[in-house]
Amino acid sequence: MFKGVFILKNIFGIKSAKAVLTGAASAILLSVVMIFILAWILFSSSLSEKVSDAAVLAITIASAFFAGFLCARINKANGMVLGLVSGLMYLVMIYVISCFFGMRADFSTVCVSTAVLSLICAAIGGILGVNIKRKQK
């Protein structure tokens, strides 16, 4: 994974590499917080497993969007490309963390479609991150 960071640094520059890592790490943090909130809601209510599956999908997609948005907002250029890279970095980090906690690799249709949808949302987040203007003070 560290070799990928050095390749990213050489292609886009150090600012872009930091933006990608910041976006992906922030998305991981957002995912963890949202998963804990979901766990608390599921613990205190009697929602079905289908609801939790849909909620985890929504959390993954929203976090990927956030990774792309934050990365592009920090870098201020190359929104779609850096959003995709940041979303990919987020998905790789999720995969590594999942393997660390004993989850096995699952490349089912649902998993692949979730990854593709997450990458699309990360690219859209990157596009919006570059193009949404900040308020002037």
Side-chain angles (χ1 to χ4, degrees):
M1 189 157 108
F2 291 108
K3 188 175 183 179
V5 173
F6 294 123
I7 291 171
L8 182 67
K9 182 180 97 173
N10 290 337
I11 293 173
F12 294 111
I14 190 75
K15 181 180 177 185
S16 298
K18 285 182 181 179
V20 167
L21 289 175
T22 301
S26 298
I28 291 288
L29 185 62
L30 177 66
S31 293
V32 168
V33 169
M34 292 173 72
I35 292 288
F36 275 122
I37 292 170
L38 175 64
W40 180 75
I41 291 170
L42 291 174
F43 179 75
S44 62
S45 68
S46 60
L47 294 175
S48 70
E49 188 175 322
K50 289 184 179 185
V51 173
S52 68
D53 289 344
V56 169
L57 176 65
I59 289 170
T60 304
I61 291 170
S63 296
F65 176 86
F66 180 72
F69 184 85
L70 184 62
C71 175
R73 199 75 158 150
I74 292 169
N75 197 57
K76 300 177 185 170
N78 300 326
M80 186 172 75
V81 173
L82 289 179
L84 272 171
V85 173
S86 186
L88 183 62
M89 182 73 73
Y90 165 73
L91 291 174
V92 167
M93 291 169 104
I94 289 289
Y95 175 74
V96 169
I97 292 169
S98 297
C99 289
F100 180 73
F101 284 108
M103 303 291 287
R104 62 180 176 83
D106 180 24
F107 295 106
S108 65
T109 309
V110 173
C111 185
V112 172
S113 62
T114 300
V116 169
L117 191 57
S118 296
L119 289 175
I120 291 169
C121 288
I124 292 170
I127 292 168
L128 292 176
V130 168
N131 291 317
I132 291 179
K133 303 295 182 199
R134 296 180 184 180
K135 291 183 180 180
Q136 297 292 330
K137 291 186 176 183

